[in-house]
Amino acid sequence: MNVLDRKILRNLWRMKGQAAAIALVIASGVATFIMSISTMQSLKLTQATFYRDYHFAEVFSSLKRAPESLKTRIQEIPGVNRIETRVVTPLNIEVKGFSDPVTGHLYSIPDRGKSLLNKLYLRQGRLVQPFSDDEVVIGEAFAESHDLHPGDEISVVINGRLRELLIVGIALSPEHIYQMPPGALFPDFERYGVMWMGRKTLGTVYDMEGAFNNVSLTVSAGANISDIVDRLDDLLRPYGGLGAYGRKDQLSHRYLSEEFRQLEQMAAMFPVIFLGVAAFLLNVVISRLLSIQRDEIAVLKAFGYSNLDVGIHFTKLVLLIVLAGLILGVSGGAWLGQWMSTIYKEFYRFPFLRYELQPAVVASGAFISIAAALIGTVYSLRKAALLPPAQAMRPEPPATYKETLLERLGLKKILRQPSRMIVRHIGRRPVKSLLTVTGIAFACAIMMVGRFQEDSVDYMVDVQFGLSQREDMAITFIEPTSRRALYELKSLEGVQRGEVFRSVPARLRFGHRSYRTAVQGIESEGDLHRLLNEDLKIVHLPAAGIVLTDHLGEILGVREGDELTVEVLEGRRPVLRVPVAGLISQYIGVSAYMELASLNRLMREGSAISGVYLSTDSDQRPLIFSKLKRMPRIAGTELREKAIENFYDTMGETILIFTFINTLLAGIIAFGVVYNSARIALSERSRELASLRVLGFTRGEISYILLGELAVLTLAAIPVGFIIGQAMCFYITENLKTDLFRIPLILEGSTYAFAATVVLAAACISAFMVRRRLDNLDLVAVLKTKE
Amino acid sequence: MNNITDTTSAVFQARGITKVYDMGEVSVHALRGIDMELHSGELVVLLGPSGSGKSTLLNILGGLDTATEGTVTYCGKDLTGASEQELTDYRRYHVGFVFQFYNLIPSLTALENVAVVTEIAQTPMNPEDALAMVGLADRVNHFPAQLSGGEQQRVAIARAIAKKPAVLLCDEPTGALDSSTGIIVLEVLEKINRDLGTATVLITHNADIAEMADRVIHLSNGLISREQRNELRKSPRDLHW
Ligand SMILES: Nc1ncnc2c1ncn2[C@@H]1O[C@H](COP(=O)(O)OP(=O)(O)OP(=O)(O)O)[C@@H](O)[C@H]1O
Ligand SMILES: [Mg+2]
């Protein structure tokens, strides 16, 4: 090893604290990057593998009833690959010791041979015996939330008849990664269950012998899905087809892919911000670090080392630090990615996890950080190289200080000598001071980015469930019903208010864009379920026309006054043209609303309703529940409290886990930056401070001069950081929009306080560490040689 | 060799050197037009009061700084117009420099401070030998912060002579040394000068040291005020101050 390489190691050892802090900043930036991207890629790979290996269908349709022979005609549609016909029945489930109404769906599985599509992954037990008439397999999420196991019995009401069934297996299905009750916004694993039973038995129970009411299929590679959807739809129409749809409209898949989209957006934005900030800081820190070395650069040059030699020498030093950061960041990021993927795997109940870290991801993380470091290095080396060695080597000429504006304004009388030194030092090096402020401000800003989502999510839930969807429960019937159902429910003891709604599944079309959802007919003067505008003012539905959530308006590209095509996917399946009467603001979900009477009129159906919103006495709930359970037509009951719980348990959680880890990493970056700023200031000025000590200044006084400056810069940086943080949060909310929800930009005082506290804490710890060094300042050594 | 008028054997030839430091409101004229030559094997002492421009001149000769006006040639090559690469080669292979403020690299030991130069030189001495010559054989593994000012200065001298340069430029090499150590150091410089024919320029405040020179140049206020030639170079051993 030559002397210069040994020098690198010694320099590194000497500045180990600082080097470690810089390496940690890089590591955190890179770790966020690796973690986010690898988690995302792994989840998608896992999902794709699960779908492929378990033959998740690509086109689906429900219908009233069709003879099994229709299957051959479906098979004739060009591009259709495998087909599976099934019997699917709604059911009410009785779970011992659980009072809330529970609904579900029972799916048939072939008695002979294996399922061709949507195959089950058995977690426990076995599949049902062929032709057995009382065995079921149940979904894992439901089983877990009620602690059900193979061997347990469960009672269900199918087609009005109560049956005792024996659970023989617990399974997962690619079709039901998420299990959503009809009409619900969020998955509910407790109040909605999916089960599987032999086709023969289910056919008998549901009067579907030799017939089916559900079909799913896969298509051959390259086939046009929407074409097949249309032809399947045409074929099924005479049999009461309820509108065929592709995977993208399949409930579980849609929900999952929206969640993935959300994660993906975060996985793209966070690393960009973090790595960007880390790169900027790295650049600043490295260039300041090298500017301290300016006389060493000069000495080496004076003895005949070329600019290139010197450049290589210092680049090695920088690269060692960057490499340490990279290794830590890549391995930490991979570890976190794996850990997080495992959490998500459990969360989504994937049967397995395929973690994948692509070399290209590592390479781009490495590239970005090395490039940032090298740009900083080259910049400051160039500056040093331009200076003739003779000048660079002189003990820095006493700088030209001036009275600052502050002092001239009269503060001079107030400020004592050390305070004046602080003010002048900041004033003399405006660029350097500005960079320090910017660095600390960025640290403060990324703390806000990690934190603010919690406020926003809370606010979003408050608005949705506090101001808009105020009903305690929403009851959805299996089929459209007469208004009489409302009076029946309202007469129950404990029900305070009731309002009705109609929900019509439909495909909305505008130009070449379309979206499958339900048109909700609600009472325009309703008090339970209300629509809001941007200012949270109540919007009353107009007597005619359709009102869309702003997000749906964006998806379809419509504005008020445009005419929308509504293809109803129920009953006679009319195709209607309805003018858009306005857009409303809604953070969660994607819906279209019409005034109930006007929807009924369009559907030519009298006063049909799909369900009822109720507000109830909370102590009467059990009574209401037990009544509801005995009503056969109920497809699902959504409880507001549970919906909120479910929201936090599902989506809330996926976001918050992610932001929590990122907040930790942001904290490390923040600390690294502040500590480095303090340490660099110390090395730049230790000579000056040592001289002051020799002149009789106390330790406290010189600490005050150095740390006072740090304090002033930190305090100046915090408000700037708030502004940068607001901009970053704005950028995130603008880009984090999915069909599931749109996070509003809500920054509570606590977020600001949190960011400021972390930065101040980092400043205090750094100050403490610097103070210890100042106390141990070896006056003789410092004055004898330069650092 | 002692023929001053023979300009062709000049190692250095400086013509009309000026140096102005621009300090914004004021500009400092450190050199106001210097003409001088240095011949191979010659030992020249630069004398002058503080601030007269001695270090500035030496730095320009050593290629560490550039003159505002005028030309410097080294062995017939123009240093003022030299490229960065030429200047680097010049410093790497031809010049040994002792700085007024030593400028050792704090993170390297005495030995390594010398080795940093010998590693890139063409026919260097052994770094230990160079340190032994300045009487520091027992301090090779000390870091600069563990050395006295005079010891640091001697490391700086060892570093300058270790590459066996063609010219040796020393800025107050004995400034921090007592007379007996100073004499040891001057003996080393003289030995190098004599044995290797190294052209040497030596800055000092000490008029007594001037007696060991072939030629003494007096600088004042950025100009050469007087030049004097010693008929007989005194050996450093016979100097005392
Ligand atoms: N980088 C600089 N910027 C401005 N002025 C300078 C600079 N370097 C030197 N000077 C000025 O140039 C003049 C000559 O300086 P120089 O260092 O050459 O003096 P010197 O003869 O070596 O003095 P000393 O014996 O004290 O070392 C001085 O007035 C000095 O203030
Ligand atoms: Mg000088």
Side-chain angles (χ1 to χ4, degrees):
Chain A
M1 197 190 324
N2 67 27
V3 172
L4 284 188
D5 288 342
R6 227 175 300 159
K7 169 175 175 302
I8 290 177
L9 295 185
R10 268 189 218 134
N11 284 355
L12 271 181
W13 179 246
R14 205 182 149 71
M15 51 180 272
K16 51 189 177 302
Q18 232 174 321
I22 297 174
L24 277 179
V25 169
I26 302 172
S28 303
V30 171
T32 321
F33 183 77
I34 302 268
M35 172 189 79
S36 308
I37 302 211
S38 71
T39 300
M40 213 45 244
Q41 286 181 343
S42 304
L43 279 179
K44 294 193 122 175
L45 182 68
T46 302
Q47 177 200 29
T49 311
F50 186 34
Y51 280 4
R52 189 194 63 212
D53 293 353
Y54 288 81
H55 301 284
F56 182 39
E58 286 163 294
V59 177
F60 308 79
S61 184
S62 292
L63 53 146
K64 270 242 141 54
R65 179 193 172 97
E68 194 60 34
S69 57
L70 192 66
K71 193 172 164 182
T72 41
R73 297 209 19 225
I74 298 173
Q75 189 78 67
E76 280 160 16
I77 298 174
V80 168
N81 198 349
R82 296 183 185 195
I83 307 178
E84 185 146 271
T85 60
R86 292 185 293 191
V87 175
V88 180
T89 73
L91 74 168
N92 285 335
I93 305 171
E94 299 276 350
V95 183
K96 274 186 209 82
F98 187 72
S99 68
D100 296 8
V102 181
T103 58
H105 277 99
L106 194 45
Y107 286 77
S108 69
I109 44 180
D111 286 304
R112 251 183 247 112
K114 288 187 176 161
S115 306
L116 292 175
L117 296 175
N118 309 315
K119 289 165 98 164
L120 298 183
Y121 175 91
L122 262 186
R123 281 281 213 205
Q124 287 179 47
R126 56 171 172 83
L127 289 179
V128 295
Q129 295 267 305
F131 309 110
S132 114
D133 61 359
D134 68 343
E135 293 184 355
V136 280
V137 172
I138 67 172
E140 186 188 51
F142 182 73
E144 261 175 24
S145 57
H146 292 290
D147 197 22
L148 295 169
H149 300 281
D152 290 345
E153 294 208 334
I154 190 161
S155 11
V156 302
V157 179
I158 314 172
N159 222 7
R161 259 167 303 178
L162 182 75
R163 292 181 74 96
E164 290 293 323
L165 300 176
L166 177 70
I167 298 170
V168 295
I170 309 270
L172 299 172
S173 156
E175 200 183 1
H176 301 287
I177 290 171
Y178 268 123
Q179 294 157 30
M180 321 246 304
L185 275 177
F186 312 119
D188 186 338
F189 298 130
E190 237 180 340
R191 275 159 219 85
Y192 180 78
V194 176
M195 306 183 180
W196 294 270
M197 196 174 196
R199 169 82 178 261
K200 176 92 185 2
T201 314
L202 194 57
T204 316
V205 177
Y206 205 57
D207 303 327
M208 285 277 173
E209 283 141 320
F212 65 92
N213 66 353
N214 179 288
V215 60
S216 50
L217 50 88
T218 51
V219 304
S220 40
N224 182 339
I225 299 252
S226 69
D227 224 45
I228 294 174
V229 165
D230 288 345
R231 300 185 67 157
L232 180 65
D233 214 17
D234 288 343
L235 204 57
L236 297 181
R237 199 181 298 264
Y239 301 95
L242 295 174
Y245 50 89
R247 245 189 215 177
K248 76 176 177 46
D249 287 320
Q250 201 266 346
L251 215 52
S252 162
H253 175 77
R254 179 150 143 188
Y255 200 89
L256 191 64
S257 39
E258 284 299 303
E259 275 216 356
F260 279 11
R261 203 147 71 85
Q262 190 136 26
L263 275 177
E264 205 168 16
Q265 286 167 349
M266 286 200 294
M269 283 185 288
F270 273 76
V272 166
I273 293 176
F274 278 42
L275 206 51
V277 170
F280 169 79
L281 298 173
L282 187 61
N283 190 309
V284 171
V285 167
I286 296 280
S287 43
R288 289 189 67 181
L289 202 67
L290 290 185
S291 71
I292 302 172
Q293 311 269 342
R294 132 194 144 126
D295 57 333
E296 279 192 15
I297 295 173
V299 173
L300 291 176
K301 279 185 64 185
F303 283 108
Y305 283 88
S306 66
N307 282 338
L308 186 69
D309 297 332
V310 175
I312 290 175
H313 172 66
F314 284 99
T315 304
K316 277 187 194 163
L317 175 83
V318 171
L319 280 187
L320 274 181
I321 301 177
V322 175
L323 274 185
L326 266 179
I327 292 172
L328 197 65
V330 170
S331 48
W335 184 84
L336 280 173
Q338 215 150 1
W339 177 75
M340 195 173 277
S341 303
T342 312
I343 291 188
Y344 280 126
K345 174 209 154 214
E346 296 291 315
F347 186 82
Y348 293 122
R349 298 174 188 288
F350 285 128
F352 45 77
L353 175 72
R354 289 192 55 186
Y355 182 76
E356 185 188 53
L357 177 56
Q358 286 179 356
V361 178
V362 177
S364 27
F367 176 80
I368 296 170
S369 26
I370 290 178
L374 286 189
I375 290 169
T377 311
V378 167
Y379 170 75
S380 37
L381 284 178
R382 249 184 66 84
K383 237 175 64 179
L386 285 179
L387 210 58
Q391 285 189 42
M393 254 181 318
R394 294 174 72 88
E396 251 193 278
T400 40
Y401 284 90
K402 280 191 206 143
E403 287 199 341
T404 54
L405 186 64
L406 271 179
E407 287 174 278
R408 271 176 277 158
L409 285 176
L411 272 176
K412 192 169 187 169
K413 292 183 207 85
I414 309 168
L415 296 178
R416 286 185 52 245
Q417 205 55 42
S419 307
R420 266 186 236 167
M421 288 180 67
I422 294 175
V423 174
R424 284 190 197 158
H425 191 77
I426 294 174
R428 188 174 74 87
R429 288 272 170 82
V431 175
K432 203 172 265 187
S433 307
L434 200 70
L435 281 179
T436 306
V437 168
T438 314
I440 300 177
F442 269 119
C444 178
I446 53 176
M447 294 311 301
M448 291 171 65
V449 168
R451 219 347 255 269
F452 92 102
Q453 312 223 6
E454 239 170 279
D455 299 340
S456 298
V457 167
D458 288 348
Y459 177 84
M460 182 167 83
V461 168
D462 278 355
V463 169
Q464 182 89 10
F465 294 101
L467 295 177
S468 178
Q469 267 176 260
R470 310 194 311 152
E471 68 273 3
D472 295 322
M473 45 181 98
I475 294 161
T476 309
F477 302 120
I478 288 169
E479 279 176 328
T481 318
S482 88
R483 247 185 132 85
R484 226 178 317 130
L486 171 68
Y487 307 121
E488 214 175 296
L489 287 167
K490 263 173 105 170
S491 67
L492 294 179
E493 202 174 328
V495 172
Q496 290 160 344
R497 261 191 89 88
E499 283 166 20
V500 296
F501 66 90
R502 176 77 172 99
S503 178
V504 179
R507 184 178 283 121
L508 308 183
R509 249 186 229 288
F510 185 73
H512 60 281
R513 309 193 196 186
S514 74
Y515 193 85
R516 199 181 145 108
T517 181
V519 178
Q520 304 278 114
I522 60 176
E523 300 181 51
S524 77
E525 295 302 318
D527 192 43
L528 293 178
H529 206 87
R530 309 186 301 195
L531 306 182
L532 307 171
N533 67 11
E534 266 172 49
D535 309 322
L536 305 185
K537 296 261 162 51
I538 296 167
V539 175
H540 292 286
L541 280 168
I546 192 163
V547 166
L548 307 178
T549 33
D550 40 12
H551 185 67
L552 181 54
E554 258 171 52
I555 294 175
L556 293 172
V558 295
R559 266 174 303 173
E560 193 174 328
D562 288 337
E563 194 155 89
L564 204 62
T565 307
V566 178
E567 301 174 16
V568 175
L569 300 170
E570 186 188 277
R572 297 175 302 107
R573 302 187 53 182
V575 177
L576 312 167
R577 298 185 63 77
V578 189
V580 175
L583 299 176
I584 53 143
S585 149
Q586 189 174 302
Y587 299 133
I588 302 180
V590 170
S591 327
Y593 296 94
M594 287 182 77
E595 204 275 318
L596 177 61
S598 97
L599 179 61
N600 282 154
R601 216 173 313 122
L602 272 177
M603 294 290 293
R604 299 204 219 134
E605 61 185 5
S607 61
I609 61 171
S610 306
V612 177
Y613 298 129
L614 298 179
S615 74
T616 58
D617 257 343
S618 41
D619 21 313
Q620 302 285 354
R621 289 266 168 85
L623 205 74
I624 300 174
F625 289 156
S626 68
K627 293 259 171 58
L628 284 177
K629 281 186 189 178
R630 261 173 274 132
M631 294 188 173
R633 286 161 298 154
I634 290 174
T637 306
E638 191 183 22
L639 307 176
R640 186 173 59 157
E641 292 150 34
K642 300 297 171 190
I644 296 175
E645 236 171 69
N646 285 328
F647 172 79
Y648 278 111
D649 283 353
T650 56
M651 254 168 303
E653 194 155 323
T654 57
I655 296 191
L656 296 179
I657 292 176
F658 192 85
T659 50
F660 171 71
I661 300 292
N662 278 303
T663 308
L664 280 185
L665 295 174
I668 295 176
I669 293 180
F671 176 77
V673 172
V674 178
Y675 177 69
N676 259 302
S677 305
R679 276 303 307 275
I680 291 175
L682 174 66
S683 357
E684 282 170 349
R685 303 188 63 189
S686 54
R687 212 179 156 79
E688 179 187 347
L689 297 176
S691 311
L692 288 176
R693 284 275 285 127
V694 173
L695 294 180
F697 278 66
T698 64
R699 286 175 179 163
E701 280 162 341
I702 62 163
S703 304
Y704 172 75
I705 292 172
L706 187 69
L707 300 179
E709 182 182 333
L710 178 68
V712 169
L713 294 181
T714 306
L715 291 178
I718 288 175
V720 180
F722 287 166
I723 294 171
I724 301 176
Q726 281 170 358
M728 287 179 178
C729 294
F730 175 76
Y731 168 72
I732 288 184
T733 51
E734 277 304 295
N735 287 285
L736 201 59
K737 289 185 173 171
T738 66
D739 294 3
L740 299 180
F741 58 89
R742 279 76 54 192
I743 290 187
L745 179 58
I746 298 296
L747 290 162
E748 299 280 356
S750 63
T751 297
Y752 293 105
F754 173 71
T757 306
V758 172
V759 169
L760 287 177
C764 287
I765 296 171
S766 308
F768 173 75
M769 291 165 82
V770 166
R771 170 74 206 241
R772 269 197 18 207
R773 289 194 160 250
L774 277 179
D775 286 352
N776 298 326
L777 202 60
D778 182 345
L779 296 184
V780 179
V782 171
L783 290 178
K784 221 182 217 172
T785 58
K786 279 179 288 176
E787 183 153 347
Chain B
M1 189 178 269
N2 285 340
N3 182 1
I4 321 168
T5 49
D6 177 12
T7 51
T8 50
S9 77
V11 176
F12 281 117
Q13 190 169 45
R15 286 287 171 265
I17 303 281
T18 66
K19 177 76 187 179
V20 182
Y21 290 108
D22 196 6
M23 311 271 295
E25 287 150 42
V26 288
S27 45
V28 178
H29 290 260
L31 298 176
R32 301 164 184 270
I34 302 276
D35 296 322
M36 66 166 279
E37 277 115 35
L38 179 68
H39 299 275
S40 91
E42 203 182 11
L43 197 157
V44 169
V45 163
L46 269 182
L47 267 179
S50 177
S52 56
K54 306 180 297 288
S55 297
T56 305
L57 179 58
L58 205 69
N59 287 338
I60 291 173
L61 293 181
L64 301 182
D65 209 345
T66 49
T68 311
E69 273 174 62
T71 55
V72 180
T73 57
Y74 168 78
C75 295
K77 265 189 259 124
D78 188 7
L79 286 184
T80 24
S83 70
E84 179 70 35
Q85 182 58 46
E86 285 165 336
L87 273 181
T88 299
D89 284 347
Y90 167 61
R91 294 193 296 250
R92 178 181 288 216
Y93 302 124
H94 302 280
V95 193
F97 222 109
V98 178
F99 306 106
Q100 186 172 2
F101 303 103
Y102 328 144
N103 292 87
L104 300 179
I105 295 174
S107 53
L108 298 181
T109 61
L111 184 73
E112 288 163 344
N113 262 291
V114 178
V116 120
V117 173
T118 56
E119 276 182 1
I120 56 167
Q122 278 162 332
T123 51
M125 309 180 191
N126 196 334
E128 278 100 342
D129 297 344
L131 284 166
M133 284 177 87
V134 295
L136 284 180
D138 55 345
R139 289 282 189 279
V140 288
N141 290 322
H142 286 227
F143 284 95
Q146 299 164 332
L147 295 170
S148 76
E151 284 165 342
Q152 290 187 49
Q153 188 158 37
R154 282 187 277 161
V155 175
I157 291 164
R159 182 172 63 175
I161 59 171
K163 74 164 84 158
K164 296 198 253 168
V167 269
L168 197 50
L169 306 174
C170 309
D171 199 342
E172 301 197 29
T174 56
L177 305 179
D178 60 278
S179 71
S180 60
T181 323
I183 285 165
I184 296 174
V185 165
L186 290 175
E187 274 178 336
V188 171
L189 292 178
E190 202 210 16
K191 180 172 153 50
I192 300 277
N193 169 257
R194 199 162 359 91
D195 295 356
L196 304 174
T198 304
T200 307
V201 181
L202 217 151
I203 292 178
T204 175
H205 280 126
N206 191 333
D208 294 317
I209 295 178
E211 293 182 46
M212 65 177 280
D214 292 311
R215 203 148 50 97
V216 184
I217 297 175
H218 292 263
L219 223 61
S220 86
N221 218 353
L223 283 168
I224 296 180
S225 57
R226 195 153 62 87
E227 211 178 309
Q228 135 205 358
R229 156 172 289 286
N230 291 332
E231 290 310 318
L232 196 77
R233 266 167 57 162
K234 263 196 187 171
S235 160
R237 225 169 308 136
D238 303 330
L239 302 173
H240 32 80
W241 65 87

